Amino acid sequence: MSTEAGIASYIDHTLLKPEASEADVLKVCAEAVEYNFKSVCVNPVWVKTVKNALKGSGVLTCSVVGFPLGATPSDVKAFEARGAVLDGADEVDMVINIAAARANDKGALVEDIAKVAEAVHGGEAILKVIIETSLLSDEQKVVACEAAVEAGADFVKTSTGFNGGGATAEDVALMRKAVGPDLGVKASGGVRSLADAQAMIAAGATRIGASSGIAIVKGEQGSSDY
């Protein structure tokens, strides 16, 4: 998985900075089309812009929900997710209730994720669940992954990139073991090089979230935290 084309198909080309401008967003879209990345991941306000810019390219539109803290009510997350899908999002990355995860409250996590899953799947989109690994123990990570499976999510994802830490191969392997072979695992946060991406894929990742996608496919070293 060292070729540019091969690795590019794993990458969600990401721009989640709050100060990102329309020009910045359109630049990321053009890059995603040029390099044939899997998706462009942006904040909800940019979904319509991205969907229009990517029309006919085959590159997916991805948005985030409850981002980056996960500390909004589940009904609000579901409403936000429904709006993103209506605006054209093919995929939605939600942040879980991290306090519930730290309390090992699987029931609360399942309820939180299931409400968003219903909204996302109602629009025939894909749901990825961000568990924010840097804030959880290994036991809590497993509980969060199990909750995502029970709630009907399509992916689990390591990190937002906004709350410290990031993806590690060890966490990806733990998450892969917890969810089994059928769910997707997305590694995000601090994946800045081809070697980083290859290590995540070897550990079980099926998607890479990165703002350093171009550096990754060129075999260079990116500098972004996400």
Side-chain angles (χ1 to χ4, degrees), residues 87-113:
D87 282 347
D90 302 295
E91 301 185 337
V92 170
D93 292 16
M94 71 167 286
V95 186
I96 60 167
N97 180 337
I98 296 166
R102 286 173 66 100
N104 285 312
D105 189 345
K106 186 189 284 189
L109 290 173
V110 171
E111 182 179 358
D112 185 46
I113 298 164

Side-chain angles (χ1 to χ4, degrees), residues 1-4 7 191-199 215-221:
M1 190 52 62
S2 60
T3 66
E4 176 179 313
I7 208 76
V191 183
R192 302 186 187 96
S193 69
L194 179 60
D196 289 343
Q198 289 173 324
I216 290 170
V217 298
K218 287 185 172 182
E220 300 170 354
Q221 180 70 39

Side-chain angles (χ1 to χ4, degrees), residues 47-124:
V47 170
K48 286 183 179 179
T49 301
V50 169
K51 188 71 171 183
N52 186 60
L54 296 176
K55 187 176 181 179
S57 69
V59 179
L60 302 177
T61 299
C62 177
S63 189
V64 292
V65 163
F67 194 89
L69 302 178
T72 44
S74 303
D75 289 341
V76 176
K77 293 180 189 178
F79 179 85
E80 188 178 17
R82 197 171 290 111
V85 173
L86 286 171
D87 282 347
D90 302 295
E91 301 185 337
V92 170
D93 292 16
M94 71 167 286
V95 186
I96 60 167
N97 180 337
I98 296 166
R102 286 173 66 100
N104 285 312
D105 189 345
K106 186 189 284 189
L109 290 173
V110 171
E111 182 179 358
D112 185 46
I113 298 164
K115 286 186 177 181
V116 181
E118 182 181 4
V120 172
H121 293 154
E124 299 184 347

